[in-house]
Amino acid sequence: MDARFSGPCAETRKEAVLPTGTDRVRRKPLARFLALAGFAMALASCQMFTPPDVQESGFQPSSKPITVDNVAANSKLAEMAKAQHPRILATYGGEYSDPKLERMVAKVVGSLTVVSANPSQTYRITILNSPNVNAFALPGGYLYITRGLLALANDSAELAAVIAHEMGHVTANHGLQRQQLEAEEGFATKVVSDVLGDSPTAKAALIRGKLRLAQFSRNQELEADGIGIKSIGEAGFDPFAAGRFLQSMSAYTDFRSISGATDASLDFLATHPNTPQRIDLAQRHARQFGAPGVGTRDRNAFLAGIDGLLYGDTPEEGYVRGETFLHPGLGVSFSVPDGFIIDNSAAAVTATGPGDIAIRFDGVSIDKSRSLTDYIRSGWVAGLDENSVRQETINGNEAATAHASAEGWQFDIAVIRAGGQVYRLLTAAPSASASLDAVARSVSGSFRILSAAEKAALKPLHIRVVTVRPGQTMGSLAAQMVGVDRKLDLFRVLNAMSPGAAVSAGDKVKIITDK
């Protein structure tokens, strides 16, 4: 959660907390609560939906791609894409700066550019400071890749496969084709009116939900696949890396389905289904270059580049450690019960658990002289039970609590003043649930101020590349990881190892540590 408390965390966005007014008519209560409280958000990203019956085609790149160096060639879509760059940065936590990593990525991009249909074309690669696994392209040669995706890849060939796919969208002018399919002026007006709002957080949310510049059709995805694999093969990379990375994403999807996801709406995985059919198609493309083993993987250079890469949340958004959220900047912490999964985003911290119970934690700015009970009664809570409003003290902090109900759902509201800031803990459960009070009191009762020593001890997590020593196993290596759950499963996913695989002395592997 961003310490600045923008968007839904600001008092001016009070309607975005519990269902009110006309929203009651349009949405079912739980879905509405989750959406308004920030639990659900759709992303316009590069989509890869494989048709039921895939036929290989003679896909060819454009001979005149729209790239950064020719944006001025009267392409409104390319100009708009250029204008979206700062907003993309705002949505994905800004640019991730690491010269060593940037040099490694630039080397891969350079190799791909040399063999492209137009070697003189220009691309702008941005590494985004996001733990989500994503990569996408905008017309104008703007290519984006998150540090979360870099953490999942295992060699330069896999990275090349991802980047080449996105370059394929650009060289095939998919953005231009989309522009031609839609009413150009109407589409441009919609993007401008949606994206250029006054609220920075609103801009970010609208980019996620409504910006369509990075979405492509099924055939365009297959075309980009074919172009990408052809590019990496011609550049000398292992062409089978594309299928290999799809397998890793599939394993990561399975891992996340149990462990929960961080702002899944911003993920490559949410819009790139990894079907066996698509993997098979990638392998067929790769076999045009020879049998498995052809081409270079350049694993050592890649691992050297990502060694030390930030993993997971940034210090500015706080950390999730198991069932506890801790924010060193704000100096606060709270925990959720067993079985709940915490999701930390820039706008708020949310958690979901058994019995359709959902929790949201955020902050608001209100006048210091205003009582918390008065704030609860100020109109931002729909279905408020006025008689339930209570002034309380939670772990030495001024607080107020209340209950509300709306269309088959019940809500618990806890508002806490600490360190000059006001925090909100909102819990929702079906009306028939008997667990709301117990869960809400457990969560609000766990809220506390961190000591100076605790704040100093909190450190971000990083990818560290280590060399396997004699006698070490996957289990002993995974046991070295800190700050993550299901260590062995995550170790296997990060290193693309099956349950039956084993490590050997001298191998290089990735672990997660705060050192």
Side-chain angles (χ1 to χ4, degrees):
M1 183 179 69
D2 196 313
R4 293 170 293 183
F5 295 117
S6 57
C9 300
E11 191 179 12
T12 56
R13 294 294 303 280
K14 60 188 178 185
E15 76 281 359
V17 180
L18 295 179
T20 60
T22 56
D23 284 313
R24 292 183 189 163
V25 179
R26 294 195 297 266
R27 300 181 182 177
K28 294 182 179 180
L30 179 60
R32 181 174 62 248
F33 173 78
L34 297 182
L36 293 179
F39 286 89
M41 192 76 72
L43 168 71
S45 184
C46 174
Q47 294 182 330
M48 284 189 183
F49 294 104
T50 303
D53 183 21
V54 177
Q55 301 294 328
E56 291 191 59
S57 304
F59 295 129
Q60 297 295 327
S62 169
S63 60
K64 295 182 179 180
I66 300 298
T67 56
V68 172
D69 56 352
N70 61 16
V71 164
N74 196 29
S75 170
K76 289 184 179 180
L77 191 59
E79 292 170 0
M80 287 165 53
K82 182 178 181 180
Q84 302 318 312
H85 178 71
R87 291 148 174 98
I88 295 292
L89 293 181
T91 302
Y92 284 86
E95 188 170 353
Y96 184 76
S97 180
D98 179 340
K100 173 171 62 70
L101 181 66
E102 292 164 8
R103 285 194 296 271
M104 183 271 290
V105 174
K107 180 181 176 183
V108 172
V109 175
S111 298
L112 294 172
T113 302
V114 169
V115 300
S116 68
N118 183 3
S120 65
Q121 63 191 297
T122 303
Y123 293 94
R124 176 171 181 169
I125 307 294
T126 301
I127 302 174
L128 297 167
N129 189 19
S130 170
N132 298 287
V133 177
N134 209 348
F136 52 93
L138 298 182
Y142 288 84
L143 306 180
Y144 301 87
I145 187 166
T146 62
R147 58 176 170 82
L149 190 146
L150 290 169
L152 185 61
N154 273 283
D155 55 49
S156 295
E158 291 182 7
L159 173 60
V162 173
I163 294 176
H165 171 91
E166 302 306 335
M167 291 172 70
H169 283 305
V170 177
T171 60
N173 279 343
H174 287 159
L176 188 61
Q177 291 171 13
R178 182 174 178 84
Q179 182 185 35
Q180 294 167 343
L181 289 173
E182 302 202 25
E184 179 177 330
E185 187 169 343
F187 176 62
T189 300
K190 181 177 186 299
V191 172
V192 172
S193 62
D194 283 351
V195 176
L196 301 184
D198 292 331
S199 166
T201 300
K203 293 176 186 176
L206 287 167
I207 288 171
R208 298 180 191 180
K210 298 180 180 180
L211 180 62
R212 305 299 179 186
L213 292 176
Q215 286 189 321
F216 303 105
S217 72
R218 294 175 179 178
N219 284 339
Q220 286 175 329
E221 290 301 340
L222 293 175
E223 186 172 5
D225 269 353
I227 294 171
I229 293 172
K230 181 175 183 291
S231 295
I232 65 173
E234 290 180 347
F237 290 111
D238 175 9
F240 291 89
R244 195 164 59 246
F245 189 68
L246 287 173
Q247 295 282 10
S248 289
M249 289 201 302
S250 178
Y252 185 55
T253 301
D254 293 341
F255 176 83
R256 284 161 47 108
S257 69
I258 298 174
S259 296
T262 299
D263 209 355
S265 65
L266 294 179
D267 271 3
F268 191 82
L269 300 172
T271 52
H272 291 63
N274 299 307
T275 63
Q277 185 183 32
R278 180 164 174 257
I279 294 173
D280 178 67
L281 180 61
Q283 291 172 338
R284 279 189 281 156
H285 278 300
R287 279 194 287 272
Q288 296 177 9
F289 289 89
V294 65
T296 180
R297 296 178 61 175
D298 201 16
R299 177 173 164 82
N300 287 341
F302 177 83
L303 292 179
I306 68 167
D307 190 24
L309 177 71
L310 181 66
Y311 182 85
D313 300 322
T314 66
E316 292 75 21
E317 292 186 346
Y319 305 123
V320 176
R321 298 290 186 263
E323 292 160 342
T324 299
F325 172 76
L326 310 100
H327 200 302
L330 299 173
V332 299
S333 172
F334 74 92
S335 299
V336 297
D338 291 343
F340 279 72
I341 296 171
I342 300 176
D343 178 12
N344 182 22
S345 70
V349 182
T350 59
T352 53
D356 286 335
I357 298 180
I359 300 163
R360 173 186 170 97
F361 171 77
D362 66 10
V364 292
S365 297
I366 66 174
D367 193 279
K368 293 181 179 179
S369 63
R370 189 178 192 181
S371 73
L372 297 182
T373 53
D374 177 61
Y375 171 65
I376 287 180
R377 292 188 176 103
S378 63
W380 59 276
V381 180
L384 176 67
D385 178 358
E386 294 279 351
N387 295 324
S388 71
V389 181
R390 297 282 187 275
Q391 183 76 36
E392 295 188 18
T393 299
I394 296 178
N395 291 328
N397 301 296
E398 177 191 354
T401 61
H403 282 85
S405 60
E407 298 181 33
W409 291 89
Q410 52 181 326
F411 306 96
D412 182 275
I413 303 99
V415 182
I416 307 168
R417 180 173 273 135
Q421 178 67 52
V422 173
Y423 301 94
R424 301 185 297 197
L425 281 163
L426 311 172
T427 308
S431 294
S433 174
S435 301
L436 177 66
D437 286 345
V439 170
R441 296 289 72 79
S442 170
V443 175
S444 62
S446 70
F447 178 90
R448 65 187 183 86
I449 303 296
L450 296 173
S451 68
E454 287 176 316
K455 288 189 289 185
L458 286 173
K459 298 178 181 178
L461 301 179
H462 295 273
I463 293 281
R464 293 297 180 191
V465 177
V466 299
T467 301
V468 179
R469 299 192 301 272
Q472 287 186 314
T473 65
M474 283 201 295
S476 64
L477 289 162
Q480 296 179 25
M481 303 206 298
V482 300
V484 295
D485 296 323
R486 300 176 58 215
K487 296 180 180 180
L488 181 56
D489 290 339
L490 181 57
F491 177 86
R492 287 170 174 158
V493 169
L494 288 176
N495 291 285
M497 294 182 176
S498 65
V503 294
S504 302
D507 289 347
K508 291 183 178 180
V509 295
K510 296 178 286 184
I511 63 171
I512 307 299
T513 177
D514 60 0
K515 296 181 174 58

PDB file of all heavy atoms in Angstrom, residues 183-209:
ATOM      1  N   ALA A 183     -13.459   3.043 -34.864  1.00  0.00           N
ATOM      2  CA  ALA A 183     -13.669   4.420 -35.318  1.00  0.00           C
ATOM      3  C   ALA A 183     -12.590   5.267 -34.688  1.00  0.00           C
ATOM      4  O   ALA A 183     -12.573   5.487 -33.478  1.00  0.00           O
ATOM      5  CB  ALA A 183     -15.044   4.896 -34.891  1.00  0.00           C
ATOM      6  N   GLU A 184     -11.658   5.732 -35.512  1.00  0.00           N
ATOM      7  CA  GLU A 184     -10.449   6.351 -34.992  1.00  0.00           C
ATOM      8  C   GLU A 184     -10.749   7.521 -34.059  1.00  0.00           C
ATOM      9  O   GLU A 184     -10.243   7.579 -32.953  1.00  0.00           O
ATOM     10  CB  GLU A 184      -9.557   6.812 -36.148  1.00  0.00           C
ATOM     11  CG  GLU A 184      -8.289   7.501 -35.663  1.00  0.00           C
ATOM     12  CD  GLU A 184      -7.390   7.881 -36.821  1.00  0.00           C
ATOM     13  OE1 GLU A 184      -7.413   7.180 -37.839  1.00  0.00           O
ATOM     14  OE2 GLU A 184      -6.683   8.885 -36.700  1.00  0.00           O
ATOM     15  N   GLU A 185     -11.577   8.418 -34.491  1.00  0.00           N
ATOM     16  CA  GLU A 185     -11.792   9.597 -33.666  1.00  0.00           C
ATOM     17  C   GLU A 185     -12.531   9.251 -32.378  1.00  0.00           C
ATOM     18  O   GLU A 185     -12.205   9.760 -31.305  1.00  0.00           O
ATOM     19  CB  GLU A 185     -12.578  10.657 -34.445  1.00  0.00           C
ATOM     20  CG  GLU A 185     -12.689  11.969 -33.683  1.00  0.00           C
ATOM     21  CD  GLU A 185     -13.224  13.088 -34.546  1.00  0.00           C
ATOM     22  OE1 GLU A 185     -13.202  12.945 -35.791  1.00  0.00           O
ATOM     23  OE2 GLU A 185     -13.661  14.086 -33.979  1.00  0.00           O
ATOM     24  N   GLY A 186     -13.522   8.351 -32.484  1.00  0.00           N
ATOM     25  CA  GLY A 186     -14.257   7.958 -31.282  1.00  0.00           C
ATOM     26  C   GLY A 186     -13.367   7.243 -30.297  1.00  0.00           C
ATOM     27  O   GLY A 186     -13.447   7.464 -29.085  1.00  0.00           O
ATOM     28  N   PHE A 187     -12.488   6.380 -30.807  1.00  0.00           N
ATOM     29  CA  PHE A 187     -11.564   5.656 -29.937  1.00  0.00           C
ATOM     30  C   PHE A 187     -10.604   6.612 -29.259  1.00  0.00           C
ATOM     31  O   PHE A 187     -10.352   6.530 -28.055  1.00  0.00           O
ATOM     32  CB  PHE A 187     -10.792   4.632 -30.772  1.00  0.00           C
ATOM     33  CG  PHE A 187      -9.730   3.886 -30.013  1.00  0.00           C
ATOM     34  CD1 PHE A 187     -10.055   3.071 -28.941  1.00  0.00           C
ATOM     35  CD2 PHE A 187      -8.404   4.003 -30.376  1.00  0.00           C
ATOM     36  CE1 PHE A 187      -9.081   2.386 -28.251  1.00  0.00           C
ATOM     37  CE2 PHE A 187      -7.422   3.319 -29.694  1.00  0.00           C
ATOM     38  CZ  PHE A 187      -7.760   2.514 -28.631  1.00  0.00           C
ATOM     39  N   ALA A 188     -10.066   7.561 -30.027  1.00  0.00           N
ATOM     40  CA  ALA A 188      -9.127   8.524 -29.464  1.00  0.00           C
ATOM     41  C   ALA A 188      -9.803   9.359 -28.388  1.00  0.00           C
ATOM     42  O   ALA A 188      -9.238   9.603 -27.319  1.00  0.00           O
ATOM     43  CB  ALA A 188      -8.575   9.428 -30.560  1.00  0.00           C
ATOM     44  N   THR A 189     -11.029   9.802 -28.652  1.00  0.00           N
ATOM     45  CA  THR A 189     -11.759  10.600 -27.668  1.00  0.00           C
ATOM     46  C   THR A 189     -11.977   9.809 -26.388  1.00  0.00           C
ATOM     47  O   THR A 189     -11.832  10.340 -25.283  1.00  0.00           O
ATOM     48  CB  THR A 189     -13.111  11.037 -28.243  1.00  0.00           C
ATOM     49  OG1 THR A 189     -12.877  11.812 -29.411  1.00  0.00           O
ATOM     50  CG2 THR A 189     -13.880  11.870 -27.239  1.00  0.00           C
ATOM     51  N   LYS A 190     -12.307   8.534 -26.522  1.00  0.00           N
ATOM     52  CA  LYS A 190     -12.560   7.699 -25.348  1.00  0.00           C
ATOM     53  C   LYS A 190     -11.296   7.561 -24.513  1.00  0.00           C
ATOM     54  O   LYS A 190     -11.328   7.692 -23.288  1.00  0.00           O
ATOM     55  CB  LYS A 190     -13.037   6.308 -25.780  1.00  0.00           C
ATOM     56  CG  LYS A 190     -13.352   5.379 -24.617  1.00  0.00           C
ATOM     57  CD  LYS A 190     -13.881   4.048 -25.140  1.00  0.00           C
ATOM     58  CE  LYS A 190     -14.325   3.171 -23.982  1.00  0.00           C
ATOM     59  NZ  LYS A 190     -13.270   2.850 -23.051  1.00  0.00           N
ATOM     60  N   VAL A 191     -10.168   7.294 -25.166  1.00  0.00           N
ATOM     61  CA  VAL A 191      -8.919   7.137 -24.430  1.00  0.00           C
ATOM     62  C   VAL A 191      -8.554   8.428 -23.707  1.00  0.00           C
ATOM     63  O   VAL A 191      -8.199   8.426 -22.533  1.00  0.00           O
ATOM     64  CB  VAL A 191      -7.780   6.708 -25.371  1.00  0.00           C
ATOM     65  CG1 VAL A 191      -6.445   6.744 -24.645  1.00  0.00           C
ATOM     66  CG2 VAL A 191      -8.048   5.310 -25.906  1.00  0.00           C
ATOM     67  N   VAL A 192      -8.655   9.539 -24.426  1.00  0.00           N
ATOM     68  CA  VAL A 192      -8.287  10.815 -23.814  1.00  0.00           C
ATOM     69  C   VAL A 192      -9.194  11.143 -22.638  1.00  0.00           C
ATOM     70  O   VAL A 192      -8.733  11.522 -21.564  1.00  0.00           O
ATOM     71  CB  VAL A 192      -8.337  11.949 -24.865  1.00  0.00           C
ATOM     72  CG1 VAL A 192      -8.154  13.302 -24.186  1.00  0.00           C
ATOM     73  CG2 VAL A 192      -7.251  11.746 -25.907  1.00  0.00           C
ATOM     74  N   SER A 193     -10.506  10.988 -22.818  1.00  0.00           N
ATOM     75  CA  SER A 193     -11.428  11.342 -21.745  1.00  0.00           C
ATOM     76  C   SER A 193     -11.284  10.412 -20.556  1.00  0.00           C
ATOM     77  O   SER A 193     -11.430  10.830 -19.409  1.00  0.00           O
ATOM     78  CB  SER A 193     -12.873  11.307 -22.257  1.00  0.00           C
ATOM     79  OG  SER A 193     -13.214   9.998 -22.675  1.00  0.00           O
ATOM     80  N   ASP A 194     -10.989   9.144 -20.824  1.00  0.00           N
ATOM     81  CA  ASP A 194     -10.854   8.183 -19.725  1.00  0.00           C
ATOM     82  C   ASP A 194      -9.541   8.341 -18.979  1.00  0.00           C
ATOM     83  O   ASP A 194      -9.487   8.260 -17.753  1.00  0.00           O
ATOM     84  CB  ASP A 194     -10.937   6.742 -20.263  1.00  0.00           C
ATOM     85  CG  ASP A 194     -12.366   6.329 -20.573  1.00  0.00           C
ATOM     86  OD1 ASP A 194     -13.283   7.091 -20.208  1.00  0.00           O
ATOM     87  OD2 ASP A 194     -12.545   5.268 -21.184  1.00  0.00           O
ATOM     88  N   VAL A 195      -8.471   8.535 -19.725  1.00  0.00           N
ATOM     89  CA  VAL A 195      -7.143   8.499 -19.115  1.00  0.00           C
ATOM     90  C   VAL A 195      -6.727   9.848 -18.530  1.00  0.00           C
ATOM     91  O   VAL A 195      -6.063   9.905 -17.502  1.00  0.00           O
ATOM     92  CB  VAL A 195      -6.096   8.013 -20.137  1.00  0.00           C
ATOM     93  CG1 VAL A 195      -4.709   8.063 -19.536  1.00  0.00           C
ATOM     94  CG2 VAL A 195      -6.424   6.592 -20.576  1.00  0.00           C
ATOM     95  N   LEU A 196      -7.130  10.917 -19.169  1.00  0.00           N
ATOM     96  CA  LEU A 196      -6.652  12.218 -18.727  1.00  0.00           C
ATOM     97  C   LEU A 196      -7.554  12.827 -17.658  1.00  0.00           C
ATOM     98  O   LEU A 196      -7.972  13.976 -17.756  1.00  0.00           O
ATOM     99  CB  LEU A 196      -6.523  13.167 -19.923  1.00  0.00           C
ATOM    100  CG  LEU A 196      -5.580  12.696 -21.033  1.00  0.00           C
ATOM    101  CD1 LEU A 196      -5.457  13.761 -22.099  1.00  0.00           C
ATOM    102  CD2 LEU A 196      -4.210  12.356 -20.476  1.00  0.00           C
ATOM    103  N   GLY A 197      -7.865  12.052 -16.641  1.00  0.00           N
ATOM    104  CA  GLY A 197      -8.650  12.556 -15.522  1.00  0.00           C
ATOM    105  C   GLY A 197      -7.786  13.374 -14.582  1.00  0.00           C
ATOM    106  O   GLY A 197      -6.590  13.528 -14.771  1.00  0.00           O
ATOM    107  N   ASP A 198      -8.416  13.939 -13.548  1.00  0.00           N
ATOM    108  CA  ASP A 198      -7.681  14.789 -12.617  1.00  0.00           C
ATOM    109  C   ASP A 198      -6.929  13.980 -11.560  1.00  0.00           C
ATOM    110  O   ASP A 198      -5.867  14.373 -11.110  1.00  0.00           O
ATOM    111  CB  ASP A 198      -8.647  15.760 -11.914  1.00  0.00           C
ATOM    112  CG  ASP A 198      -9.217  16.773 -12.891  1.00  0.00           C
ATOM    113  OD1 ASP A 198      -8.511  17.090 -13.868  1.00  0.00           O
ATOM    114  OD2 ASP A 198     -10.346  17.221 -12.675  1.00  0.00           O
ATOM    115  N   SER A 199      -7.493  12.845 -11.139  1.00  0.00           N
ATOM    116  CA  SER A 199      -6.886  12.069 -10.056  1.00  0.00           C
ATOM    117  C   SER A 199      -5.791  11.159 -10.592  1.00  0.00           C
ATOM    118  O   SER A 199      -6.027  10.372 -11.499  1.00  0.00           O
ATOM    119  CB  SER A 199      -7.947  11.216  -9.360  1.00  0.00           C
ATOM    120  OG  SER A 199      -7.345  10.239  -8.546  1.00  0.00           O
ATOM    121  N   PRO A 200      -4.571  11.235 -10.046  1.00  0.00           N
ATOM    122  CA  PRO A 200      -3.499  10.335 -10.497  1.00  0.00           C
ATOM    123  C   PRO A 200      -3.884   8.874 -10.346  1.00  0.00           C
ATOM    124  O   PRO A 200      -3.596   8.050 -11.215  1.00  0.00           O
ATOM    125  CB  PRO A 200      -2.323  10.705  -9.574  1.00  0.00           C
ATOM    126  CG  PRO A 200      -2.604  12.116  -9.160  1.00  0.00           C
ATOM    127  CD  PRO A 200      -4.090  12.207  -9.039  1.00  0.00           C
ATOM    128  N   THR A 201      -4.533   8.524  -9.244  1.00  0.00           N
ATOM    129  CA  THR A 201      -4.920   7.133  -9.048  1.00  0.00           C
ATOM    130  C   THR A 201      -6.027   6.747 -10.018  1.00  0.00           C
ATOM    131  O   THR A 201      -6.068   5.625 -10.514  1.00  0.00           O
ATOM    132  CB  THR A 201      -5.383   6.906  -7.602  1.00  0.00           C
ATOM    133  OG1 THR A 201      -4.317   7.223  -6.721  1.00  0.00           O
ATOM    134  CG2 THR A 201      -5.796   5.456  -7.382  1.00  0.00           C
ATOM    135  N   ALA A 202      -6.925   7.696 -10.313  1.00  0.00           N
ATOM    136  CA  ALA A 202      -7.970   7.419 -11.285  1.00  0.00           C
ATOM    137  C   ALA A 202      -7.353   7.127 -12.644  1.00  0.00           C
ATOM    138  O   ALA A 202      -7.797   6.247 -13.373  1.00  0.00           O
ATOM    139  CB  ALA A 202      -8.926   8.605 -11.377  1.00  0.00           C
ATOM    140  N   LYS A 203      -6.299   7.869 -12.987  1.00  0.00           N
ATOM    141  CA  LYS A 203      -5.610   7.622 -14.245  1.00  0.00           C
ATOM    142  C   LYS A 203      -5.074   6.190 -14.284  1.00  0.00           C
ATOM    143  O   LYS A 203      -5.236   5.466 -15.270  1.00  0.00           O
ATOM    144  CB  LYS A 203      -4.451   8.604 -14.420  1.00  0.00           C
ATOM    145  CG  LYS A 203      -4.876  10.061 -14.599  1.00  0.00           C
ATOM    146  CD  LYS A 203      -3.643  10.954 -14.659  1.00  0.00           C
ATOM    147  CE  LYS A 203      -4.011  12.428 -14.687  1.00  0.00           C
ATOM    148  NZ  LYS A 203      -2.822  13.288 -14.653  1.00  0.00           N
ATOM    149  N   ALA A 204      -4.431   5.799 -13.179  1.00  0.00           N
ATOM    150  CA  ALA A 204      -3.854   4.452 -13.133  1.00  0.00           C
ATOM    151  C   ALA A 204      -4.938   3.395 -13.246  1.00  0.00           C
ATOM    152  O   ALA A 204      -4.796   2.413 -13.979  1.00  0.00           O
ATOM    153  CB  ALA A 204      -3.063   4.276 -11.840  1.00  0.00           C
ATOM    154  N   ALA A 205      -6.043   3.591 -12.536  1.00  0.00           N
ATOM    155  CA  ALA A 205      -7.132   2.619 -12.566  1.00  0.00           C
ATOM    156  C   ALA A 205      -7.758   2.537 -13.955  1.00  0.00           C
ATOM    157  O   ALA A 205      -8.084   1.456 -14.445  1.00  0.00           O
ATOM    158  CB  ALA A 205      -8.183   2.994 -11.533  1.00  0.00           C
ATOM    159  N   LEU A 206      -7.905   3.682 -14.610  1.00  0.00           N
ATOM    160  CA  LEU A 206      -8.499   3.702 -15.926  1.00  0.00           C
ATOM    161  C   LEU A 206      -7.599   3.054 -16.957  1.00  0.00           C
ATOM    162  O   LEU A 206      -8.055   2.423 -17.904  1.00  0.00           O
ATOM    163  CB  LEU A 206      -8.823   5.148 -16.336  1.00  0.00           C
ATOM    164  CG  LEU A 206     -10.023   5.749 -15.599  1.00  0.00           C
ATOM    165  CD1 LEU A 206     -10.084   7.248 -15.820  1.00  0.00           C
ATOM    166  CD2 LEU A 206     -11.317   5.092 -16.064  1.00  0.00           C
ATOM    167  N   ILE A 207      -6.294   3.208 -16.771  1.00  0.00           N
ATOM    168  CA  ILE A 207      -5.359   2.535 -17.678  1.00  0.00           C
ATOM    169  C   ILE A 207      -5.554   1.037 -17.560  1.00  0.00           C
ATOM    170  O   ILE A 207      -5.627   0.310 -18.544  1.00  0.00           O
ATOM    171  CB  ILE A 207      -3.904   2.921 -17.353  1.00  0.00           C
ATOM    172  CG1 ILE A 207      -3.650   4.374 -17.778  1.00  0.00           C
ATOM    173  CG2 ILE A 207      -2.928   2.006 -18.084  1.00  0.00           C
ATOM    174  CD1 ILE A 207      -2.322   4.906 -17.313  1.00  0.00           C
ATOM    175  N   ARG A 208      -5.685   0.562 -16.320  1.00  0.00           N
ATOM    176  CA  ARG A 208      -5.856  -0.878 -16.111  1.00  0.00           C
ATOM    177  C   ARG A 208      -7.134  -1.374 -16.770  1.00  0.00           C
ATOM    178  O   ARG A 208      -7.165  -2.416 -17.411  1.00  0.00           O
ATOM    179  CB  ARG A 208      -5.934  -1.192 -14.616  1.00  0.00           C
ATOM    180  CG  ARG A 208      -4.708  -0.840 -13.810  1.00  0.00           C
ATOM    181  CD  ARG A 208      -4.967  -1.207 -12.366  1.00  0.00           C
ATOM    182  NE  ARG A 208      -3.948  -0.685 -11.479  1.00  0.00           N
ATOM    183  CZ  ARG A 208      -3.957  -0.861 -10.181  1.00  0.00           C
ATOM    184  NH1 ARG A 208      -4.923  -1.532  -9.618  1.00  0.00           N
ATOM    185  NH2 ARG A 208      -3.003  -0.365  -9.437  1.00  0.00           N
ATOM    186  N   GLY A 209      -8.206  -0.635 -16.552  1.00  0.00           N
ATOM    187  CA  GLY A 209      -9.509  -1.129 -16.948  1.00  0.00           C
ATOM    188  C   GLY A 209      -9.945  -0.761 -18.344  1.00  0.00           C
ATOM    189  O   GLY A 209     -10.748  -1.468 -18.944  1.00  0.00           O
TER     190      GLY A 209
END
